[in-house]
Amino acid sequence: MTEKRTEISSVGEFGLINRIQENVSLNNTESVLGIGDDAALLDNGDDYTVMSSDMLLEGVHFDLSYMPLQHLGYKAVAVNVSDIAAMNAVPKQILLNIGVSNRFSVEALDVFYQGVKAACENYKIDLVGGDTCSSASGFVISATAVGSVKKDRVALRSGARQNDIICVTGDLGGAYLGLQVLEREKQVYLTNPEMQPQLDKYDYIVQRQLKPEARMDIVYELAEMNVKPTSMIDISDGLGSELLHLSKQSALGVQIYEDKLPVDKQTYDTGFELGIDSTTAVLNGGEDYELLFTINQDDFEKLKNHADIHFLGYMKEPKDGNMMVTKGDNVVPIVAQGWDHYRE
Ligand code: ADP
Ligand code: MG
């Protein structure tokens, strides 16, 4: 008898996570929420303790030929803080594990940890531990961030209600196009090392790729304005995929308008230059680390003049599906083509 073999690519990253989740049960009463949101929730009296892990792998998530080690250290903290922010929580501690080969010097790791320290200071979070191993396959970084949120302030992916307004912070698609530019300049350099990379006119999108920020500023501002998002997720895999997470977990449809998508001019111009439609970069690119959230319509007045919050559309009935109204007034389905690690 031959053993059954299913390719991971046939179930995808989310299919794989679902399979893991199906075989997990939560046995400690403190474990309120496990797999399935941006972070887990542990009961801690008036608060939830919030925990989330993320990995960065050389050759998968970063290329050291253009990723400065200091930025990499910063990004390792920022992407973990972003998942804490996505629960409307405040980060407090981080554990950071590294796998590193003797290709790296002590000085190089000092530079990496300068970036870690800068991010910890910026997000007011303490590096409280980790693990150090030798690695035979490139630089491996894994971190677990721990945060806290008042129970009545937590924002889950599942909390959206029909007619809620879909909001997003910042601008989207830049990190993806920044990566395309860095890859292109690397190829130019490899072909002709005399050629120096020309990155000046791409400074903003390159920075979006190399030094993303978690939007803790928005978490604090929403608290000050007394607005509680009904649901929230951070944008690590592209807007399309994240909208589908909100839709699925809130059991609703979503409707967004293409002309409401926030795109920076440099993102738009670079997309045009590279033949990548900026809407495609917004929906399917990744690593913007902005916050996607929904609000009750009653809260719109408080946010409507915010310079960095954009209103994309509405939560609809489930039967309406997940749709985008294009600039040409066509209605097209939103599909998940975001960053799935096992997609072929
Ligand atoms: P995010 O993009 O917000 O980091 P992911 O898509 O990586 O979220 O993960 C979604 C959920 O699945 C999270 O709750 C995460 O903790 C969980 N998860 C991902 N991989 C694993 C794994 N190997 N084992 C257990 N849980 C996992
Ligand atoms: Mg997330």
Side-chain angles (χ1 to χ4, degrees), residues 261-313:
L261 298 177
V263 178
D264 181 78
K265 182 166 187 309
Q266 204 174 85
T267 303
Y268 184 86
D269 290 348
T270 309
F272 189 77
E273 183 190 329
L274 300 181
I276 300 171
D277 177 38
S278 60
T279 297
T280 305
V282 168
L283 289 174
N284 305 331
E287 298 200 289
D288 291 311
Y289 296 102
E290 296 293 340
L291 291 173
L292 173 68
F293 59 97
T294 54
I295 56 165
N296 188 292
Q297 297 213 2
D298 294 343
D299 283 327
F300 178 66
E301 276 300 310
K302 296 185 202 162
L303 295 190
K304 71 174 188 194
N305 293 322
H306 195 292
D308 214 22
I309 295 178
H310 310 279
F311 307 98
L312 304 183

Side-chain angles (χ1 to χ4, degrees), residues 7 11 26 51 60 69 71 83 95 113 122 134 149 163 175 191 214 216 230 260 265 268 327 330 336:
E7 298 303 327
V11 295
L26 302 177
M51 292 176 71
V60 179
L69 278 168
H71 286 8
D83 277 321
L95 296 155
Y113 273 94
N122 187 21
S134 64
V149 60
N163 301 325
T191 321
M216 280 310 302
T230 52
K260 303 288 183 198
K265 182 166 187 309
Y268 184 86
K327 289 173 186 164
N330 292 314

Side-chain angles (χ1 to χ4, degrees), residues 13-14 17 20 34-38 54 83 157 234 236-237:
E13 180 185 347
F14 300 128
I17 294 173
I20 296 170
I35 298 172
D37 214 302
D38 292 284
D54 259 310
D83 277 321
R157 294 178 179 182
D234 70 325
S236 50
D237 299 339

Side-chain angles (χ1 to χ4, degrees), residues 11 42 53 80 85 142 179 216 225 229 242 251-252 271 286 336:
V11 295
L42 315 185
S53 261
N80 278 279
S142 149
L179 179 63
M216 280 310 302
M225 289 185 286
E242 316 300 6
L252 291 173

